[in-house]
Amino acid sequence: MASLAEKRMEDAEDHPIDQNVDQAARPEELRLLEALLFASAEPIDQATLAKRMPDGVDVKAALAQLQAEYAPRGVNLVRVANKWTFRTAGDLSWLMTRESTETRRLSRAAIEVLAIIAYHQPVTRAEIEEIRGVITSKGTLDVLLETGWIRPRGRRKTPGRPLTFGTTEAFLSQFSLEALSDLPGLEELKGTGLLDSRLPSGFSVPTPSDDVALREDEDPLDAGDNLELLLAPAAEPEDGGGAGSEGSAG
């Protein structure tokens, strides 16, 4: 019995394709976008692609056409953190199961802190502790900084000038989010069982902001800031009582 590959070769011989016709019917800008996206090791934003394309090309429309063209294929064109990249189709992830990836599970405390930063950014360590009701250890923030999912944004214009934290493009990429606004809202969180349906009156989930610009109450990081020294010394264990104040180191 002929294999699938052999059958396809036979079909191709019986029904030859005029490659010149196909190439003429397909806009040249799609080939150029394919080449740029496949050659890039990192996702590319639309503005960067536009600079590499010939004048007059509607890059936005070309990307939409290319995305539709690849939608049924094994590789899809996707937008993550407002940048474009090719990725294996989600329904084919089982093909990659032979690759062994060692995952590091986040502690419950780290997941809570990550969620607070994602929804409340820019937020300081003291504000995180106020929301959680417990002291946040240095190690918890260190783990999240090491993953590259959070970053120090600046320093709050308050006594002690504590650090403010926000999420990164790596966070969006890890969770396949195009923007922070794609994070689940109150009703979605209730529907998944992550929130108790009997919530206090007036309870709400904040709308996260994608604005990377510093706010009026934030100062830029100091030129001499060393990331290893940005956090305060290790605090009490996570279950060690109420929230403490954030020191001058953030």
Side-chain angles (χ1 to χ4, degrees):
M1 183 176 180
S3 66
L4 180 60
E6 291 172 340
K7 188 175 186 305
R8 286 180 175 173
M9 291 177 66
E10 292 173 0
D11 291 341
E13 292 173 357
D14 294 338
H15 305 283
I17 298 174
D18 188 339
Q19 294 183 355
N20 293 328
V21 172
D22 281 354
Q23 291 178 3
R26 190 171 187 261
E28 179 68 11
E29 55 261 31
L30 298 189
R31 295 183 66 238
L32 298 176
L33 283 174
E34 281 177 324
L36 289 171
L37 290 164
F38 270 115
S40 176
E42 301 291 339
I44 313 177
D45 59 69
Q46 184 175 316
T48 301
L49 289 169
K51 292 178 182 178
R52 304 292 299 275
M53 300 291 288
D55 293 338
V57 173
D58 187 340
V59 177
K60 183 177 181 180
L63 284 167
Q65 185 175 347
L66 193 62
Q67 186 177 43
E69 185 177 301
Y70 272 86
R73 299 185 179 182
V75 175
N76 297 156
L77 178 60
V78 299
R79 185 168 64 172
V80 176
N82 291 321
K83 294 184 179 182
W84 295 88
T85 185
F86 281 111
R87 288 191 174 178
T88 303
D91 61 329
L92 298 180
S93 59
W94 58 272
L95 289 171
M96 311 302 164
T97 54
R98 290 188 178 181
E99 295 184 5
S100 177
T101 303
E102 183 178 351
T103 58
R104 181 178 181 183
R105 290 187 176 275
L106 293 179
S107 66
R108 178 176 177 178
I111 294 173
E112 290 177 358
V113 171
L114 179 61
I116 291 170
I117 293 174
Y119 280 95
H120 292 265
Q121 59 188 299
V123 60
T124 67
R125 179 174 170 179
E127 291 164 348
I128 294 171
E129 292 171 345
E130 182 179 357
I131 294 170
R132 293 186 65 221
V134 295
I135 291 175
T136 299
S137 73
K138 174 181 179 293
T140 299
L141 287 169
D142 282 344
V143 167
L144 294 176
L145 287 168
E146 288 173 6
T147 63
W149 297 347
I150 69 169
R151 66 180 179 89
R153 285 173 47 100
R155 289 187 177 275
R156 186 80 80 208
K157 294 179 180 179
T158 57
R161 300 181 67 241
L163 285 171
T164 57
F165 293 95
T167 54
T168 64
E169 287 188 2
F171 169 81
L172 296 177
S173 180
Q174 174 66 31
F175 295 97
S176 298
L177 300 172
E178 184 176 327
L180 284 175
S181 57
D182 292 334
L183 285 169
L186 179 59
E187 296 304 317
E188 292 173 289
L189 291 171
K190 283 183 180 179
T192 58
L194 294 175
L195 286 180
D196 194 324
S197 58
R198 298 169 297 176
L199 292 171
S201 176
F203 181 88
S204 63
V205 173
T207 302
S209 170
D210 280 304
D211 190 2
V212 297
L214 295 178
R215 299 189 179 180
E216 292 184 359
D217 62 349
E218 291 180 287
D219 280 327
L221 293 173
D222 297 331
D225 275 336
N226 183 331
L227 188 57
E228 295 179 357
L229 303 177
L230 288 177
L231 301 177
E236 298 291 330
E238 292 289 338
D239 57 355
S245 60
E246 188 164 0
S248 60

